[in-house]
């Protein structure tokens, strides 16, 4: 009847050994199956898991802004004092939530081309302050006009327009106005038709930053979503050095099988350059 203690131990050991052998066999097989599935499903083509998440970015992408609030605008303008600033923010916006458009696949070069429509939604829970916060910032139009028209005569005219519109080197603007656009009183007085709306990222909504061509990963999964060209070019021609290169993805996704030692490279058209991150969780720019 039943089993004594020794018999139980032996049965346990045998079952354990059999399971260990199975485990030993299944672990690499399982890994292989998982790896193969990822290799198939990460490719950017109709029908894969990754494709749906790629067309309309599945993860939430945020962009944060910190803005310097000028504390002594009068002193700077009147007495040429050193500028005193206070950092405000972050003001956080959810971006890249719209689906990519005009997607075309090239099966020969294994690339996909698309445009990414822009949109930004303020995210109060990740921000310090509101979009209505009023800050003292540089007057973009006044500074740009003086820089664009250095001729003495034009500057006299500009000066009178600046005075007439009660503009100055600095202005008070809400975060929303400063980032996304406001009607500028000085430009509104310009004697010839110019765009009178100014903002650091104006226009943003309903625009796209240009055509991207990225690798689909079909022939090499390590290249999936890596940018081949941006606006048809492989470098930006803004910068003299490595900053000019367009390396990596758009940062909303990276190729699979990332090792901790791998440097993740990405390109951001908003700051007109590429940059990268290291695993240490510290953010730094890097060469090559
Ligand atoms: C400019 O400097 C003068 C002399 O130091 C001072 O009296 C005046 O208050 C300053 N003006 C401003 C706007 O800070
Ligand atoms: C998408 O393609 C259509 C037709 O070629 C074009 O009219 C439209 O401007 C393109 N969209 C963007 C955002 O470039
Ligand atoms: C841009 O569009 C988003 C979403 O419709 C909206 O929340 C945001 O206020 C718009 N921004 C501007 C500056 O119009
Ligand atoms: C910001 O200002 C607008 C218009 O004055 C108002 O409708 C909105 O409620 C304000 N938002 C906050 C968070 O105060
Ligand atoms: C940018 O690309 C052009 C054409 O591909 C090339 O002639 C130029 O040398 C590149 N510039 C840099 C800085 O790499
Ligand atoms: C970055 O892009 C440039 C230009 O396309 C290329 O020459 C260079 O090898 C790339 N570097 C890396 C690390 O991918």
């Amino acid at each position: 009847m039943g089993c004594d203690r020794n018999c139980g131990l032996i049965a346990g050991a045998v079952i354990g050994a059999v399971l260990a052998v199975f485990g030993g066999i299944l672990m690499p097989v399982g890994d292989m199956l998982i790896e193969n599935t990822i290799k198939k499903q990460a490719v950017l083509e109709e029908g894969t898991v990754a494709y749906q998440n790629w067309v309309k970015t599945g993860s939430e992408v945020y962009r944060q802004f910190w803005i310097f609030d000028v504390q002594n605008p009068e002193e700077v303008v009147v007495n040429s004092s050193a500028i005193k600033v206070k950092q405000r923010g972050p003001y956080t916006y959810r971006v890249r939530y719209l689906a990519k458009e005009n997607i075309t696949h090239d099966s020969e070069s294994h690339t996909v081309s698309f445009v990414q429509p822009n949109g930004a939604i303020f995210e109060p829970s990740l921000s310090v302050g509101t979009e209505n916060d009023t800050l003292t910032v540089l007057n973009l139009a006044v500074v740009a006009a003086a820089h664009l028209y250095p001729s003495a005569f034009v500057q006299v005219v500009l000066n009178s327009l600046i005075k007439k519109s009660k503009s100055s080197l600095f202005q008070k603007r809400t975060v929303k106005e400063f980032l996304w656009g406001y009607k500028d009183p000085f430009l509104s007085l310009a004697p010839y038709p110019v765009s009178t709306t100014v903002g650091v990222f104006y226009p943003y909504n309903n625009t796209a930053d240009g055509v991207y061509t990225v690798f689909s990963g079909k022939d090499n999964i390590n290249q999936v979503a890596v940018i081949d060209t941006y606006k048809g070019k492989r470098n930006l021609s803004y910068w003299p050095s490595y900053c000019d290169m367009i390396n990596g993805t758009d940062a909303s996704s990276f190729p699979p099988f990332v090792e901790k030692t791998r440097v993740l490279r990405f390109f951001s058209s908003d700051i007109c350059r590429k940059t990268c991150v290291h695993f240490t969780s510290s953010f730094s720019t890097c060469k090559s």
Side-chain angles (χ1 to χ4, degrees):
M1 290 282 287
C3 202
D4 66 8
R5 191 162 166 272
N6 274 347
C7 164
L9 281 177
I10 291 167
V14 169
I15 291 169
V18 170
L19 287 182
V21 170
F22 268 121
I25 296 167
L26 286 179
M27 248 172 5
V29 172
D31 275 359
M32 231 169 63
L33 282 177
I34 291 170
E35 199 176 308
N36 279 337
T37 308
I38 291 174
K39 272 187 186 158
K40 273 207 197 90
Q41 293 298 331
V43 172
L44 298 179
E45 64 178 2
E46 218 90 38
T48 65
V49 173
Y51 189 70
Q52 288 310 319
N53 270 308
W54 174 82
V55 170
K56 195 166 184 295
T57 306
S59 46
E60 308 209 326
V61 181
Y62 295 102
R63 182 152 297 157
Q64 300 193 296
F65 300 95
W66 282 263
I67 301 174
F68 288 119
D69 186 19
V70 179
Q71 305 292 301
N72 58 345
E74 289 285 304
E75 280 181 38
V76 175
V77 171
V78 178
N79 288 346
S80 303
S81 307
I83 195 164
K84 285 192 195 120
V85 295
K86 201 165 157 191
Q87 183 174 291
R88 303 279 298 272
Y91 298 97
T92 306
Y93 289 83
R94 183 155 177 234
V95 294
R96 294 198 174 269
Y97 55 87
L98 292 169
K100 294 176 173 65
E101 284 176 9
N102 288 8
I103 300 173
T104 53
H105 297 262
D106 185 330
S107 54
E108 243 164 59
S109 60
H110 300 296
T111 56
V112 193
S113 300
F114 63 91
V115 290
Q116 169 74 63
N118 283 325
I121 300 174
F122 188 63
E123 181 54 58
S125 69
L126 295 173
S127 304
V128 175
T130 72
E131 266 193 306
N132 289 358
D133 283 4
T134 303
L135 311 181
T136 304
V137 289
L138 206 59
N139 191 323
L140 304 170
V142 167
V143 172
H147 184 73
L148 286 176
Y149 303 101
S151 121
F153 171 72
V154 178
Q155 296 234 334
V156 170
V157 176
L158 288 179
N159 243 338
S160 77
L161 292 181
I162 290 169
K163 286 216 176 91
K164 201 167 159 200
S165 65
K166 298 196 170 65
S167 297
S168 160
L169 182 60
F170 299 102
Q171 58 176 348
K172 275 189 188 303
R173 288 285 165 199
T174 65
V175 170
K176 185 171 186 177
E177 289 175 325
F178 185 60
L179 292 176
W180 311 115
Y182 55 91
K183 236 183 160 41
D184 187 84
F186 154 59
L187 290 179
S188 303
L189 293 181
Y192 44 91
V194 291
S195 163
T196 55
T197 306
V198 184
V200 177
F201 290 99
Y202 176 82
Y204 195 75
N205 275 2
N206 307 317
T207 66
D209 55 354
V211 178
Y212 287 85
T213 301
V214 305
F215 293 105
S216 70
K218 182 97 178 155
D219 57 334
N220 179 0
I221 201 66
N222 295 323
Q223 286 285 87
V224 62
V226 168
I227 300 167
D228 181 27
T229 62
Y230 168 60
K231 289 185 179 171
K233 297 196 306 182
R234 289 206 167 83
N235 59 21
L236 294 167
S237 51
Y238 299 141
W239 313 103
S241 67
Y242 59 88
C243 295
D244 204 52
M245 303 193 292
I246 300 164
N247 293 110
T249 70
D250 68 355
S252 59
S253 74
F254 291 97
F257 312 121
V258 176
E259 306 267 324
K260 281 180 186 173
T261 50
R262 177 116 136 249
V263 178
L264 296 181
R265 292 169 209 285
F266 57 92
F267 167 74
S268 170
S269 68
D270 288 329
I271 54 172
C272 301
R273 63 160 295 177
K274 65 159 191 157
T275 184
C276 67
V277 284
H278 298 268
F279 173 69
T280 52
S281 85
S282 67
F283 185 88
S284 70
T285 58
C286 67
K287 304 198 178 204
S288 91

